[in-house]
């Protein structure tokens, strides 16, 4: 086997091929380092003399389905210049690693289209070895994402485990990449992000978030010049919660059995968009029957449908007129829950209308959150929280079904 083939196939340069062996289903290449190439690992001088060797094995890129191992007696040298006695550097492998740089690159390339488990099975190595390679690579590339070019971001939180364990996600809406993952939820989880953002010199034009007071205060304190845009998804979700609460209240107050039977099981019918109702299951008929029996429920339902039109107006002027009319109708309904929601919208009027200046939402972030949940669920959880955070930061590069 030629020395040039060692270099071109496995990235091994500056060594001589000594022998090839086949043991236990593996291909083993025995190599050695010429005496004239020995250098001090600290100062790099060739003025050294040998002080024995240390036998080492390195896993490298397979040949077909056959694992390949490189065996080398790594020389120990004593340096006449700086006086140390150490092993010489191995050019084709990182320090304290049992695999070559070529093998590491191969694992990372496979990881872009395969799961950790699949890569480990294919290469006949342990799951932990593949995970270690991935984690080191992610730490180098994603542990501190660049924030300088951020202009539009979205902020939201996601539950990642039992016991109210959360992480707070910041997404770059222009690239779709997660740029920050904070442990916990609320304003405190964002403190490290604000610190890095100030030092980056980024100029944030708009921030999409929900109507959480903690997020509102945090954005206004740390990005006073940015436009705060309240997300459509969270506004509709909040109204859905109010509508569900109203239905439960009406069910408890119903005196006759017929009224209760009609209201029972209509929760999802009320929350569905009309075009998504399943006619084969008589969902439209059941919904109409429930609305006909209760005026308050019908009022809330039709206001819910009207609210969706707020984000389809021709411009900020018509949107403001629409919002004013909608809140007036909600307050005039006399229904306590609707009046409370109308007051909430009025209090957050500026952030709602800001959509027509910056038409952004946390929709892309909701999609990312679903990917994170899928990744966590199908991986049966992550014991290493640091690795989990790095996987989230690298999520936009994944090309395979999101499993462990």
């Amino acid at each position: 086997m030629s020395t040039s083939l060692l270099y071109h196939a496995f990235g091994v340069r500056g060594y001589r091929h000594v022998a090839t062996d086949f043991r236990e289903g593996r291909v083993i290449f025995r190599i050695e380092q010429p005496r004239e190439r020995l250098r001090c690992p600290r100062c790099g001088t060739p003025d050294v003399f040998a002080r024995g060797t240390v036998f080492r094995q390195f896993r490298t890129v397979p040949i077909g389905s056959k694992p390949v191992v490189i065996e080398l007696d790594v020389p120990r040298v004593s340096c006449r210049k700086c006086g140390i006695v150490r092993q010489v550097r191995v050019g084709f492998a990182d320090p304290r690693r049992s695999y070559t740089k070529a093998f590491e690159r191969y694992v990372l390339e496979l990881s872009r289209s395969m799961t950790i488990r699949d890569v480990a099975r294919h290469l006949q190595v342990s799951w932990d070895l593949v995970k270690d390679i991935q984690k080191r690579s992610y730490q180098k590339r994603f542990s501190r994402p660049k924030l300088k070019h951020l202009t539009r971001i979205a902020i939201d939180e996601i539950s990642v485990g039992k016991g109210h364990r959360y992480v707070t996600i910041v997404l770059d809406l222009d690239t779709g990449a997660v740029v920050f993952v904070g442990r916990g939820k609320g304003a405190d989880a964002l403190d490290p992000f604000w610190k890095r953002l100030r030092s980056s010199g980024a100029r944030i034009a708009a921030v999409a978030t929900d109507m959480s007071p903690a997020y509102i205060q945090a954005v206004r304190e740390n990005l006073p010049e940015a436009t705060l845009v309240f997300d459509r998804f969270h506004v509709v979700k909040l109204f859905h919660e109010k509508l569900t609460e109203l239905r439960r209240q009406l069910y408890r107050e119903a005196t006759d059995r017929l009224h209760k039977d009609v209201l029972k099981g209509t929760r999802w019918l009320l929350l569905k968009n009309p075009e998504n109702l399943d006619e084969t299951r008589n969902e439209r008929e059941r919904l109409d029957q429930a609305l006909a029996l209760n005026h308050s429920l019908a009022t809330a339902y039709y206001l819910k449908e009207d609210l969706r039109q707020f984000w389809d107006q021709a411009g900020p002027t018509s949107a403001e007129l629409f919002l004013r009319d909608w809140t007036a109708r909600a307050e005039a309904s006399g229904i306590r829950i609707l009046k409370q929601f109308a007051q909430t919208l009025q209090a957050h009027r500026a952030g709602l209308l800001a959509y027509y200046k910056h038409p952004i939402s946390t929709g892309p972030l909701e999609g990312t959150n679903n990917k994170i949940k899928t990744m966590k669920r199908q991986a049966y959880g992550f014991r290493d929280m640091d690795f989990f955070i790095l996987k989230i930061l690298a999520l936009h590069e994944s090309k395979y079904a999101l499993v462990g």
Side-chain angles (χ1 to χ4, degrees), residues 206-311:
V207 181
T209 183
D210 59 22
M211 293 185 290
S212 163
Y215 286 158
I216 294 172
Q217 182 178 354
V219 172
R220 287 176 175 169
E221 288 179 356
N222 293 278
L223 297 173
E225 297 181 359
T227 301
L228 189 60
V229 182
F230 294 131
D231 177 60
R232 170 179 183 168
F233 170 83
H234 287 93
V235 174
V236 174
K237 179 182 177 182
L238 180 60
F239 191 85
H240 282 179
E241 292 173 357
K242 298 295 184 182
L243 185 58
T244 299
E245 182 182 346
L246 177 62
R247 186 198 67 86
R248 288 172 179 167
Q249 176 185 324
L250 294 173
Y251 181 83
R252 290 193 299 267
E253 294 174 353
T255 56
D256 60 282
R257 190 64 196 173
L258 175 63
H259 201 164
K260 284 183 177 288
D261 290 341
V262 171
L263 287 175
K264 187 176 181 180
T266 59
R267 176 188 175 188
W268 298 114
L269 301 182
L270 293 167
L271 302 185
K272 271 187 175 183
N273 293 335
E275 62 271 17
N276 295 330
L277 292 172
D278 190 347
E279 297 292 347
T280 62
R281 300 173 63 180
N282 298 323
E283 290 185 346
R284 166 62 70 181
E285 181 180 346
R286 291 166 54 201
L287 176 62
D288 290 342
Q289 187 179 7
L291 297 178
L293 281 175
N294 196 293
H295 176 73
S296 297
L297 189 64
T299 300
Y301 176 80
Y302 292 122
L303 280 174
K304 181 208 77 165
E305 290 304 308
D306 286 347
L307 183 61
R308 294 168 57 196
Q309 301 176 33
F310 171 77
W311 291 272

Side-chain angles (χ1 to χ4, degrees), residues 45-265:
T45 179
D47 189 12
V48 297
F49 58 92
R51 293 289 296 271
T53 60
V54 177
F55 177 74
R56 294 185 65 185
Q57 291 182 319
F58 301 90
R59 189 65 181 267
T60 191
V61 180
I63 298 177
S65 60
K66 294 289 184 181
V68 178
V69 175
I70 293 176
E71 293 183 345
L72 170 66
D73 289 321
V74 181
R76 296 177 74 248
V77 297
S78 178
C79 179
R80 291 187 176 91
K81 186 175 180 180
C82 59
I84 67 166
V85 179
R86 289 183 185 173
Q87 295 181 36
V88 299
R89 288 199 182 107
V90 178
F92 56 84
D94 289 330
R96 297 180 296 277
R97 302 297 167 190
S98 61
Y99 45 82
T100 67
K101 294 177 182 178
F103 182 79
E104 184 173 4
R105 290 192 297 270
Y106 186 55
V107 167
L108 293 174
E109 185 61 31
L110 292 177
S111 298
R112 290 173 60 85
S113 56
M114 298 170 63
T115 68
I116 293 178
R117 181 178 59 184
D118 291 336
V119 174
R121 286 179 177 176
H122 173 65
L123 298 177
Q124 301 178 41
V125 295
S126 70
W127 186 95
D128 292 304
L129 178 63
V130 178
K131 177 227 172 181
D132 177 67
I133 292 174
Q134 278 196 17
K135 185 175 181 179
R136 289 204 310 134
S137 175
Y138 290 159
Q139 284 174 334
K140 292 177 183 177
R141 300 175 58 210
F142 301 112
S143 60
R144 292 182 65 85
K146 294 181 180 180
L147 307 179
K148 181 179 180 180
H149 302 293
L150 288 181
T151 57
R152 304 186 305 166
I153 61 175
I155 302 173
D156 200 4
E157 61 196 31
I158 178 176
S159 173
V160 294
K162 296 180 180 178
H164 301 287
R165 293 175 56 207
Y166 290 87
V167 293
T168 299
I169 307 292
V170 179
L171 185 79
D172 182 353
L173 289 173
D174 294 313
T175 65
V178 176
V179 294
F180 176 77
V181 181
R183 297 172 186 258
K185 64 176 182 176
D188 293 342
L190 290 169
D191 287 344
F193 174 71
W194 302 131
K195 184 177 180 180
R196 286 198 58 219
L197 192 64
R198 283 191 291 270
S199 62
S200 72
R203 296 184 178 181
I204 305 298
V207 181
T209 183
D210 59 22
M211 293 185 290
S212 163
Y215 286 158
I216 294 172
Q217 182 178 354
V219 172
R220 287 176 175 169
E221 288 179 356
N222 293 278
L223 297 173
E225 297 181 359
T227 301
L228 189 60
V229 182
F230 294 131
D231 177 60
R232 170 179 183 168
F233 170 83
H234 287 93
V235 174
V236 174
K237 179 182 177 182
L238 180 60
F239 191 85
H240 282 179
E241 292 173 357
K242 298 295 184 182
L243 185 58
T244 299
E245 182 182 346
L246 177 62
R247 186 198 67 86
R248 288 172 179 167
Q249 176 185 324
L250 294 173
Y251 181 83
R252 290 193 299 267
E253 294 174 353
T255 56
D256 60 282
R257 190 64 196 173
L258 175 63
H259 201 164
K260 284 183 177 288
D261 290 341
V262 171
L263 287 175
K264 187 176 181 180

